[in-house]
Amino acid sequence: MKLTIEGIKNTSEWEAKGYSLPKFDRAAVEAATKANPFWIHFGAGNIFRAFQANVVQELLNKGVLDRGLVVAEGYDYEIIEKMYRPHDNIGALVTLKSSGSVEKTVVGSIMESLAADSANEKDWARLLEIFRNPSLQMVTFTITEKGYLLRNAAGVSMPGVEDDFAAGPVLPKSYIGKVVTLLHERYVNGELPVAMVSMDNCSHNGDKLYAAVNEFAKEWENRGVCKPGFLDYVNNASKVSFPWTMIDKITPRPDAKIEKILADDGIEQLEPVITSKKTYVAPFVNAEECQYLVIEDNFPNGRPELEKAGLYFTDRATVDKVEKMKVCTCLNPLHTFLAVSGCLLGYTLIADEMKDPDLLRLVKRLGYEEGLPVVVDPGIIKPRDFIDEVVNIRIPNPFMPDTPQRIACDTSQKLSIRFGETIKGYLARPELSLSNLKVLPLVFALWLRYLTGIGDDGKPFELSPDPLLEDCKKYVPGDIDSLLHRKEIFGVDLFEAGLADTVKAYFAKLNAGNGAVREVLKTL
């Protein structure tokens, strides 16, 4: 059994082992896709293979679509050369159920894989050809938030950007330079419409993509190195759109336990590849069962009926509300509570914390009792249903190898959004009282206690990376008042909000000696 076109032809063998297979005429779909591609995706990583590629397969199986995907990788070309092509762009998706079972799917919806490398003459010529085709409706991205940066934190241009500014749309070196060169090709061949859709997990992602593309277009026009009018094209919403999206699905690194399950089924050549750029890829991906993709419905050249596979299409304001619901109330705050308390209690797996009755009770109280009264309700997804799924399915999933130590990274950067917005919501509603908030101020106190670097057992532990770590550590345990005033950390001045005394009282109890953290959790 091999993950190749030839290898999956013996369908009865695969189905006997519990695999769902592609149910469409691959040769016909491949021919149609290459003739008239409608969707090209940049970023050939795990989230794409587990989510977007599987969505397209579902719609191909249903007959909703008659064409598949084209994927391009603009950072690590070895993913294409060493993983996609040897397997004919076919991979296995193992969906990890909270029950401890797995669901196995052979995904064959990717019809073409390309290296977005201007030095690769064949692949680059094909990319230009795709962008010239009037059939292209959407260009999507999962290249991480850093992929849209033209400069680093120090203001220094990213590699290749200045060269690309000077050269114009010819043999670009930077990631965004490649994307804008391809978009320029679409412009010079009839000003063809297209949607440029970031699907990366960052706030207002469409704006980040637009800002990078627009800066390139502006530089090129100012320097006279592109066809005049390109900047207007980029800024004409009837020609080029940059929708906002909210994506939510956990796709951990390919797991050795999952590899063994597949190998025991008889699948060959499952060995992962670690590229020279340290990307870890395998012929399979493992992912949680829950997934959300909410997309601003702004597609100048039309779009496929992806809602028939569970995706949401709505307006920009609703996308923003869904993100706020997730980040400020229903998921991220619960994760942060579990992160700091888990580090103090010696946990190494978030899922294990959900078996702890004290932590489970407080997670539910934080979400249902303290967060829901001020949740931003997007209308298309019920916040209570979202929390139900988070608490009962997602976080307890034993297959999810998320650790409190990883989630505790950059906590100083997260508190203002994950908790400060809830405090502001209470302050804005006269009928709500801050005195009802018990777990939320406890999270702040737990973070201060975490900053001491001493666990509840009295033993030191390693603090996770955080840009303000050294700055904040100097305030604990002696001068936490100065820290509690800082709006940029907590979203509000906790003294002005009337929560500082509660946080300080908790902090004192949490520092009462070994076992004090557990006692406070149990008491509350």
Side-chain angles (χ1 to χ4, degrees):
M1 296 171 68
K2 293 182 180 179
L3 288 164
T4 61
I5 292 173
E6 193 63 34
I8 65 171
K9 284 184 177 177
N10 187 352
T11 56
S12 59
E13 183 179 20
W14 288 86
E15 289 170 350
K17 299 286 179 66
Y19 289 82
S20 297
L21 294 168
K23 296 178 175 62
F24 50 87
D25 183 337
R26 184 183 171 88
V29 169
E30 183 175 350
T33 304
K34 289 184 175 178
N36 292 295
F38 75 99
W39 181 353
I40 183 169
H41 182 88
F42 285 86
N46 290 336
I47 183 68
F48 163 70
R49 296 164 67 199
F51 199 166
Q52 290 90 341
N54 195 43
V55 161
V56 171
Q57 169 141 314
E58 182 181 337
L59 295 177
L60 284 167
N61 286 343
K62 291 178 178 178
V64 175
L65 294 178
D66 61 358
R67 289 166 291 168
L69 281 158
V70 180
V71 65
E73 174 57 41
Y75 171 70
D76 194 339
Y77 314 130
E78 290 179 55
I79 297 174
I80 301 296
E81 297 158 3
K82 295 183 177 180
M83 189 53 61
Y84 275 79
R85 288 178 179 167
H87 293 278
D88 300 329
N89 303 320
I90 290 171
L93 166 62
V94 181
T95 302
L96 312 170
K97 303 280 192 174
S98 57
S99 63
S101 63
V102 299
E103 181 180 282
K104 300 173 289 191
T105 307
V106 174
V107 179
S109 61
I110 303 164
M111 299 296 142
E112 202 171 359
S113 57
L114 300 163
D117 175 10
S118 61
N120 183 325
E121 292 184 15
K122 183 179 178 182
D123 283 18
W124 188 248
R126 175 58 181 154
L127 284 166
L128 292 168
E129 182 182 25
I130 289 170
F131 273 77
R132 286 194 294 267
N133 198 318
S135 66
L136 185 64
Q137 295 177 313
M138 52 195 289
V139 182
T140 59
F141 301 83
T142 49
I143 60 176
T144 77
E145 187 170 1
K146 294 177 182 177
Y148 306 105
L149 296 178
L150 302 185
R151 296 169 193 82
N152 63 20
V156 178
S157 292
M158 302 297 281
V161 169
E162 288 299 331
D163 289 342
D164 289 349
F165 280 167
V170 183
L171 302 179
K173 301 174 183 176
S174 66
Y175 210 136
I176 295 298
K178 297 167 190 174
V179 170
V180 186
T181 296
L182 293 167
L183 187 59
H184 183 267
E185 184 75 7
R186 193 161 181 79
Y187 167 66
V188 301
N189 282 275
E191 301 184 27
L192 300 169
V194 72
M196 306 289 285
V197 191
S198 170
M199 293 181 173
D200 274 297
N201 185 21
C202 54
S203 178
H204 303 168
N205 46 20
D207 286 354
K208 290 178 169 61
L209 175 58
Y210 164 75
V213 170
N214 185 61
E215 184 169 347
F216 256 94
K218 191 176 292 185
E219 283 286 340
W220 284 353
E221 286 237 356
N222 288 343
R223 300 183 189 212
V225 294
C226 68
K227 182 181 177 181
F230 180 51
L231 181 61
D232 289 340
Y233 169 72
V234 166
N235 284 277
N236 182 345
S238 69
K239 295 289 186 180
V240 184
S241 67
F242 297 87
W244 290 5
T245 68
M246 192 289 294
I247 191 167
D248 187 19
K249 186 178 181 72
I250 298 173
T251 52
R253 190 169 114 164
D255 192 286
K257 296 191 295 291
I258 304 305
E259 182 180 346
K260 184 177 187 307
I261 289 173
L262 302 183
D264 288 347
D265 284 341
I267 301 180
E268 304 170 41
Q269 299 173 345
L270 288 169
E271 296 76 17
V273 169
I274 302 175
T275 71
S276 58
K277 290 190 174 179
K278 306 303 180 188
T279 307
Y280 187 102
V281 287
F284 66 93
V285 290
N286 37 246
E288 68 169 335
E289 59 195 292
C290 305
Q291 60 186 34
Y292 296 89
L293 183 49
V294 183
I295 306 172
E296 178 188 351
D297 200 354
N298 186 4
F299 290 78
N301 200 28
R303 63 167 177 81
E305 295 179 289
L306 301 180
E307 61 269 35
K308 291 186 176 179
L311 275 57
Y312 297 85
F313 287 88
T314 184
D315 55 44
R316 176 168 286 199
T318 303
V319 175
D320 197 39
K321 288 178 182 177
V322 173
E323 184 185 39
K324 283 187 168 67
M325 177 193 73
K326 168 194 163 189
V327 173
C328 301
T329 310
C330 296
L331 173 60
N332 297 33
L334 312 188
H335 260 156
T336 292
F337 165 68
L338 290 169
V340 292
S341 55
C343 289
L344 288 166
L345 295 174
Y347 280 103
T348 57
L349 198 63
I350 289 287
D352 287 343
E353 292 188 68
M354 296 299 280
K355 301 172 188 174
D356 184 316
D358 297 328
L359 295 177
L360 178 59
R361 188 166 54 248
L362 294 177
V363 157
K364 289 181 176 180
R365 186 167 175 177
L366 179 62
Y368 291 106
E369 297 180 30
E370 300 186 11
L372 274 183
V374 293
V375 73
V376 178
D377 188 344
I380 61 172
I381 300 171
K382 293 181 180 178
R384 179 172 287 276
D385 291 348
F386 192 92
I387 295 185
D388 283 345
E389 195 171 60
V390 166
V391 171
N392 299 318
I393 298 175
R394 302 184 68 180
I395 301 180
N397 192 328
F399 280 117
M400 290 294 106
D402 242 334
T403 69
Q405 291 73 24
R406 186 191 74 81
I407 295 174
C409 291
D410 305 332
T411 300
S412 71
Q413 311 297 293
K414 299 171 179 175
L415 296 174
S416 64
I417 297 295
R418 298 186 179 190
F419 301 98
E421 293 303 307
T422 295
I423 295 171
K424 292 174 187 176
Y426 272 77
L427 291 171
R429 300 263 297 275
E431 75 276 17
L432 295 177
S433 172
L434 283 174
S435 63
N436 292 333
L437 296 178
K438 304 296 184 184
V439 184
L440 190 152
L442 174 64
V443 179
F444 293 157
L446 284 165
W447 178 61
L448 297 175
R449 175 68 177 76
Y450 161 89
L451 289 173
T452 67
I454 303 296
D456 199 32
D457 59 2
K459 297 176 182 177
F461 64 88
E462 184 178 354
L463 295 172
S464 301
D466 187 317
L468 292 183
L469 188 60
E470 294 307 315
D471 178 35
C472 293
K473 278 169 58 180
K474 67 188 180 187
Y475 295 104
V476 293
D479 182 24
I480 64 170
D481 283 15
S482 298
L483 204 52
L484 299 182
H485 278 295
R486 291 176 63 169
K487 294 181 181 180
E488 80 277 14
I489 292 178
F490 298 101
V492 294
D493 181 321
L494 290 175
F495 282 94
E496 293 177 3
L499 284 173
D501 287 344
T502 305
V503 175
K504 290 169 66 177
Y506 278 138
F507 183 64
K509 292 179 181 178
L510 292 168
N511 281 283
N514 292 357
V517 173
R518 173 61 69 182
E519 187 58 33
V520 170
L521 296 175
K522 191 179 293 291
T523 302
L524 187 59

